[in-house]
């Protein structure tokens, strides 16, 4: 059996998920929604998922998850997309920080942090990038200096999603100013409500302050909140990247389906210039996008089930993010082009970004930049998959 | 990165690839010079039993399915194999299954080269005469018809049924002539029927509408898989060139302007590969989404292969543009593939969105 055939066990899991989701989905009106306005609904949704035992489906059962296999996890994401349920608020916690704590945390850290993460009681953000330090993470400058109780952090992080609602942050800081990047960096589990932490929103092109600057001015971090070894931050970073690649790939898969379903519904509806799908040129382009979404799905299946090298996923997974970002830009641009001023119909005058399609189209310009720029991903594929020389 | 298939699929792939190399590419080069190839890649295909891949085991075939079809088609594309495999082993075997033991056994043994003229791609009228029919008309472009020893034609014989008519090309009234074609590995011919009398021996299947639909889907799968093979081979050539050819003191692959298009070409081929095999698995399991997936697969794979070949040609500079380099042969194969019933392919892609919208709306 190929990975493209669904095993009976996976089909059973899918059916169970579908039944639970259909019975428990929230009523939500997201016409004209802007992303931060969705946060209360997303928190409420995660609480409901958690109560039903569906938060962190892919987490080990020991840590409160459902122990779902990769294929079951994919099925769950698809069922969520089918019903267009919101993303859980603690997306970074569930998909990146939590699995990293499962891999590298102490028993105490797991007991302290994982349960409130799953329950959306503690929301997590990730403090990696800094002004001037994006793709080249090894040169980060936020410092942590040891004192009697642990560490004191000074520095600044940027592009930190969810920092404005976060309770905790997985933060990378330089703990040894003399060493090279592989041994100089330490991962810290920072309390975002601690004295010295200041969060300032950054508005992006849509007008939304969806991410933030985080200033750390003498923030105390107790010794027990070091994740992994002191000086072992690079290992933590690689681990988070591995989880991010895998779980973001899945999240993209779900979102792509939702955008496609909404796009097709909009194209199928009557409009001031007729029903868009009556036009042959619209049919052709829409058909190509449908085919691309299917190709993306098949590739998600293939990449996420890849046994990889020594059990670690290979670099080929970068092609998921690379593909998704271009595809999402094309789908949202196509909606904007075809719908014309009708795309603004669900917005209101005075809003800088009126309505869903305006938001999606503008927001999509960030897709090829966030979580690994397209240029970096192409470098990665060229060097580590195709074996081409280090580039310039 | 794994393909997501089973081990026996990879063994089949490796065995075929090994057996085709290098005779298959050499044969394509010879055909470009209008010279006879030293080794006929069809002999390789037959020796491995692949003419009978879809034929049931108890009828002399391998009894395999669409996933294996895709693997074989991909490797034949990679090797630019000049073989009538799609017409014979895929379309022919499908049309003859369960209705014509003798012709099917001959096909499985590799004893016949079959060309298939699908319904709707030509104009053939059938007039009743006694217990038989008289056929007139023709198909303007049929792949492999000039060298075929059996031609299977889709004809409406009165009423609603679309029959399968098996014609030996030396039958009175049947003529074939070569027509211009861009791909030297797949010669195309015009099939003309002038008052061809056919009876029960020629009408293999009186009402084969569902079989013809299955043929269309399997041929779409072949075209998509062939494109993956062509694209993957082109990427490999481009990467090899980028790693070894030096300018300004370093391999040209060190420049992002060269490396990035190769990375994008690789990614395009690989995502189309994923979908081709997802479609093959769906067809093999007769799933309700199989037709949808196979249309999507072809829609992705052919443009991706074109992107890969054109990128590779660019990376090779002037050398890649010469007659002596293989790349123009890959380009010919993929560009000719885009002409294979374009109106059908475009119409099917255009229908994808409407069909899905109807389901989700």
């Amino acid at each position: 059996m190929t990975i493209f055939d669904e095993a009976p066990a996976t089909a059973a899991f899918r059916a169970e998920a579908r039944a639970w989701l259909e019975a428990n989905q929230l009523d939500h009106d997201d016409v004209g929604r802007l992303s931060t306005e969705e946060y209360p609904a997303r928190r409420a949704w995660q609480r409901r998922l958690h109560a039903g035992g569906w938060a962190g489906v892919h987490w080990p059962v020991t840590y409160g998850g459902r122990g779902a296999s990769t294929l079951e996890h994919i099925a769950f994401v698809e069922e969520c997309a089918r019903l267009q349920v919101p993303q859980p608020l603690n997306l970074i916690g569930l998909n990146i920080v939590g699995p990293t704590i499962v891999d590298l945390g102490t028993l105490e850290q797991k007991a302290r942090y994982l349960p409130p993460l799953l329950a959306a009681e503690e929301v997590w953000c990730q403090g990696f990038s800094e002004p001037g330090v994006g793709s080249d993470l090894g040169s980060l400058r936020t410092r942590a200096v040891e004192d009697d109780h642990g560490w004191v952090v000074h520095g600044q992080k940027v592009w930190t999603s969810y920092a404005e609602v976060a309770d905790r942050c997985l933060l990378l800081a330089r703990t040894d100013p003399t060493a090279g990047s592989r041994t100089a960096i330490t991962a810290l589990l920072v309390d975002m409500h601690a004295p010295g932490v200041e969060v300032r929103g950054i508005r992006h092109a849509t007008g939304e302050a969806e991410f933030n600057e985080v200033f750390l001015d003498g923030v105390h971090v107790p010794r027990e909140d070091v994740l992994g070894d002191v000086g072992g931050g690079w290992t933590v970073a690689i681990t988070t990247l591995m989880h991010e690649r895998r779980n973001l790939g899945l999240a993209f898969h779900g979102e792509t389906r939702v955008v496609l379903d909404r796009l097709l519904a909009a194209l199928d509806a009557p409009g001031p210039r007729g029903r868009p799908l009556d036009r042959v040129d619209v049919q052709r382009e829409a058909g190509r996008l449908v085919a691309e979404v299917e190709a993306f799905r098949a590739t998600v299946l293939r990449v996420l089930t890849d046994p990889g090298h020594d059990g670690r996923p290979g670099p080929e997974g970068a092609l998921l993010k690379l593909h998704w970002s271009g595809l999402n830009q094309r789908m949202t641009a196509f909606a904007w082009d075809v719908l014309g001023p009708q795309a603004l119909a669900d917005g209101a005058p005075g809003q800088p970004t009126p309505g869903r399609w305006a938001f999606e189209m503008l927001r999509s310009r960030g897709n090829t930049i966030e979580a690994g720029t397209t240029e970096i991903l192409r470098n990665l594929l060229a060097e580590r998959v195709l074996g081409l020389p280090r580039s310039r | 990165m794994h393909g997501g298939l089973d081990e026996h699929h990879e063994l089949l792939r490796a065995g075929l690839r090994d057996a085709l190399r290098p005779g298959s590419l050499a044969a394509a080069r010879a055909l470009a010079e209008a010279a006879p190839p030293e080794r006929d890649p069809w002999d390789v295909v037959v020796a491995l039993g692949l003419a009978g891949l879809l034929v049931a085991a108890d009828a002399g075939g391998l009894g395999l399915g669409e996933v294996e079809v895709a693997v074989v088609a991909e490797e034949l594309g990679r090797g630019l194999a000049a073989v009538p495999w799609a017409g014979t082993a895929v379309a022919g075997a499908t049309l003859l299954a369960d209705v014509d033991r003798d012709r099917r056994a001959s096909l499985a043994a590799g004893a016949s080269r079959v060309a298939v003229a699908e319904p709707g791609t030509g104009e053939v009228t059938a007039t009743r005469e006694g217990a038989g029919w008289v056929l007139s008309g023709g198909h303007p472009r049929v792949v492999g018809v000039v060298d075929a020893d059996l031609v299977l034609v889709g004809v409406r014989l009165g009423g609603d049924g679309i029959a399968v008519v098996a014609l030996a090309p030396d039958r009175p009234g049947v003529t074939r002539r070569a027509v211009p074609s861009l791909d030297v590995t797949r010669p195309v011919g015009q099939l003309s029927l002038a008052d061809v009398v056919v009876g029960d021996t020629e009408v293999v299947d009186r009402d084969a509408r569902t079989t013809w639909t299955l043929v269309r889907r399997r041929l779409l799968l072949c075209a998509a898989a062939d494109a993956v093979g062509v694209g993957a081979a082109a990427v490999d050539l481009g990467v090899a060139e980028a790693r070894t050819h030096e300018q300004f003191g370093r391999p040209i692959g060190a420049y992002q302007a060269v490396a990035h298009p190769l990375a994008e070409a690789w990614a395009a081929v690989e995502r189309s590969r994923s979908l081709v095999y997802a479609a093959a698995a769906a067809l093999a399991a007769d799933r309700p989404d199989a037709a949808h997936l196979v249309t999507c697969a072809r829609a992705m794979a052919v443009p991706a292969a074109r992107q890969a070949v054109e990128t590779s040609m660019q990376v090779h500079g002037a050398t890649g543009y010469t007659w002596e380099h293989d790349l123009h042969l890959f380009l010919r194969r993929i560009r000719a593939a885009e002409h294979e019933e374009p109106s059908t392919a475009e119409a099917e892609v255009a229908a994808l969105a409407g069909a899905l919208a109807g389901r989700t709306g």
Side-chain angles (χ1 to χ4, degrees):
Chain A
M1 209 173 74
T2 70
I3 52 134
F4 305 108
D5 301 296
E6 186 161 84
T10 312
F13 185 92
R14 179 190 293 277
E16 198 189 342
R18 181 177 291 199
W20 187 90
L21 289 167
E22 280 176 350
N24 289 277
Q25 54 183 322
L26 295 174
D27 293 324
H28 60 279
D29 171 24
D30 52 16
V31 171
R33 64 141 178 108
L34 298 176
S35 59
T36 54
E37 286 173 11
E38 259 207 338
Y39 284 179
R42 291 173 62 185
R43 189 191 295 268
W45 175 240
Q46 185 176 338
R47 288 198 165 130
R48 190 172 285 202
L49 280 171
H50 179 250
W54 290 95
V57 287
H58 53 297
W59 286 28
V61 173
T62 335
Y63 300 115
R66 218 169 172 95
S69 68
T70 299
L71 293 169
E72 288 167 346
H73 192 185
I74 293 172
F76 180 71
V77 166
E78 290 176 348
E79 293 305 312
C80 287
R82 188 180 149 268
L83 293 171
Q84 298 188 11
V85 299
Q87 293 277 19
L89 178 62
N90 213 352
L91 205 62
I92 291 185
L94 290 171
N95 287 337
I96 302 171
V97 178
T100 303
I101 294 176
V102 167
D103 286 347
L104 299 172
T106 63
L107 287 175
E108 290 80 10
Q109 286 167 340
K110 292 177 196 181
R112 162 65 186 86
Y113 290 120
L114 298 181
L117 188 163
L118 276 176
E121 281 160 26
E122 275 187 343
V123 175
W124 284 79
C125 63
Q126 196 179 347
F128 280 25
S129 297
E130 298 177 358
V133 176
S135 302
D136 181 17
L137 191 58
S139 64
L140 66 86
R141 293 206 290 259
T142 296
R143 283 171 296 120
V145 176
E146 203 164 8
D147 72 356
D148 292 338
H149 308 284
W151 300 88
V152 181
V153 182
H154 291 268
Q156 186 188 347
K157 295 295 180 182
V158 77
W159 317 128
T160 318
S161 301
Y162 302 103
E164 78 279 25
V165 293
D167 304 288
R168 315 281 322 183
C169 175
L170 173 61
L171 183 132
L172 292 178
R174 184 174 297 280
T175 41
D176 185 345
T178 63
S181 63
R182 299 290 152 127
T183 52
I185 294 171
T186 301
L188 303 169
L189 305 172
V190 176
D191 178 358
M192 290 293 284
H193 305 294
V197 176
E198 188 194 340
V199 177
R200 273 188 228 158
I202 304 171
R203 300 178 76 185
H204 53 58
T206 66
E208 268 290 287
E210 190 195 317
F211 43 28
N212 304 272
E213 294 178 285
V214 180
F215 297 91
L216 304 122
D217 187 14
V219 178
H220 289 265
V221 179
R223 195 160 287 122
E224 51 269 24
D225 282 338
V226 170
L227 181 66
D229 296 328
V230 174
W234 199 249
T235 305
V236 176
I238 300 299
T239 307
T240 65
L241 264 177
M242 191 177 82
H243 287 294
E244 179 175 21
R245 209 152 276 164
R246 184 186 173 283
N247 291 319
L248 277 198
L250 270 167
F252 295 149
H253 174 40
E255 280 175 33
T256 300
R257 199 96 234 183
V258 171
V259 172
L260 180 68
D261 285 349
R262 288 180 176 154
L263 170 65
L264 292 178
L267 298 179
D268 199 30
R273 297 191 262 178
R275 177 177 167 269
L277 269 180
D278 288 340
R279 287 163 43 190
V280 173
D281 59 329
V282 173
Q283 289 170 11
R284 283 194 189 129
E285 182 58 24
R288 279 193 279 273
L289 289 170
V290 167
E292 247 201 280
V293 169
E294 293 291 4
F296 183 66
R297 172 176 197 266
T299 308
V300 166
L301 270 175
R302 190 176 151 209
V303 168
L304 294 185
T305 58
D306 186 14
H309 321 284
D310 311 316
R312 310 207 111 218
E316 297 88 354
L319 91 84
L320 287 182
K321 201 265 166 176
L322 179 66
H323 184 206
W324 167 78
S325 52
L327 173 57
N328 195 50
Q329 285 179 342
R330 270 175 279 117
M331 283 198 291
T332 53
F334 179 59
W336 180 258
D337 290 341
V338 173
L339 297 174
Q342 194 194 337
L344 299 164
D346 59 343
Q351 290 176 330
T353 311
R356 158 166 304 113
W357 289 117
F359 177 83
E360 298 287 1
M361 184 271 292
L362 286 178
R363 179 66 182 83
S364 78
R365 302 321 307 171
N367 297 157
T368 43
I369 300 166
E370 62 196 331
T373 66
T374 287
E375 287 72 20
I376 287 291
L377 294 172
R378 286 175 183 153
N379 276 357
L380 201 152
L381 291 173
E383 289 167 26
R384 296 185 45 210
V385 176
L386 302 183
L388 294 175
R390 277 192 82 79
S391 70
R392 56 188 52 239
Chain B
M1 173 163 66
H2 79 157
L5 306 181
D6 292 337
E7 204 186 318
H8 73 265
H9 295 125
E10 297 309 329
L11 286 172
L12 169 63
R13 181 193 299 288
L16 177 56
R17 187 181 295 193
D18 234 30
L20 284 171
R21 180 170 41 207
S24 187
L25 279 177
R29 285 182 211 120
L31 287 168
E33 304 290 355
E38 250 184 56
R39 273 170 290 178
D40 187 348
W42 184 241
D43 294 338
V44 168
V45 170
V46 169
L48 290 172
L50 298 177
L53 183 131
L54 283 174
V55 175
D58 62 9
L62 296 180
L64 295 173
E66 282 92 340
V67 179
E68 290 82 6
V69 164
V71 171
V72 172
E74 185 190 336
E75 292 308 312
L76 294 176
R78 173 181 274 278
L80 287 176
V83 293
W85 188 75
T88 308
V90 180
T94 304
L95 292 168
L96 297 175
D98 300 330
V99 293
D100 189 328
R101 285 200 78 87
D102 295 334
R103 287 193 179 98
R104 190 178 41 154
S106 162
L107 180 157
S112 37
R113 296 170 189 249
V114 181
V116 171
E118 292 180 73
T121 63
E123 296 271 354
V124 175
T125 52
T127 327
R128 240 324 179 186
E129 192 172 277
W133 300 83
V134 176
L135 307 180
S136 281
H139 286 253
R141 296 184 73 83
V142 181
V143 174
V145 76
V146 172
D147 295 322
D149 42 65
L150 176 65
V151 183
L152 300 174
V153 188
V155 186
R156 194 178 296 277
L157 298 179
D160 282 329
I162 303 178
V164 180
V165 176
L167 295 173
D170 55 2
R171 219 173 154 64
V174 178
T175 49
R176 331 163 259 184
R177 70 179 181 88
V179 295
S181 153
L182 191 67
D183 178 6
V184 302
T185 66
R186 284 158 156 176
V188 182
Q190 178 185 42
L191 175 71
S192 301
L193 307 177
D195 297 326
V196 178
V197 179
V198 299
D200 285 342
T201 27
E202 288 80 26
V203 181
V204 158
D205 192 349
R206 186 70 180 78
D207 186 1
R209 187 183 293 268
T210 45
T211 315
W212 280 111
T213 302
L214 180 58
V215 164
R216 181 91 293 270
R217 287 181 191 154
R218 285 175 167 176
L219 288 178
L220 269 179
L221 179 68
C222 278
D226 186 272
V228 171
V230 165
V235 169
D236 288 351
L237 285 170
V239 168
E241 178 71 5
R243 286 161 83 165
T244 54
H245 182 66
E246 293 202 1
Q247 283 288 267
F248 310 112
R250 53 180 60 88
I252 61 169
Y255 298 100
Q256 290 181 355
V258 173
H260 282 198
L262 279 173
E264 287 284 4
W266 175 86
V269 170
E270 285 309 307
R271 60 178 166 262
S272 71
R273 172 197 299 283
S274 309
L275 184 53
V276 164
Y277 287 100
L283 268 177
D286 201 20
R287 290 208 298 267
D289 59 346
H292 168 82
L293 286 176
V294 93
T295 301
C296 290
R298 190 200 177 277
M300 288 296 295
V302 172
R306 176 183 171 180
Q307 176 185 348
V309 176
E310 291 180 353
T311 297
S312 190
M313 193 172 262
Q314 183 69 15
V315 166
H316 278 81
T319 314
Y321 185 58
T322 61
W323 177 261
E324 287 71 23
H325 202 284
D326 288 341
L327 275 170
H328 73 100
L329 298 174
F330 285 101
L331 187 60
R332 288 165 179 279
R333 186 146 167 146
I334 198 62
R335 296 299 257 130
E338 291 168 346
H339 279 186
E340 255 140 70
E341 288 131 60
S343 56
T344 319
E346 270 182 21
E348 285 174 356
V349 171
L352 284 172
L356 260 195
R359 261 181 262 157
T360 60

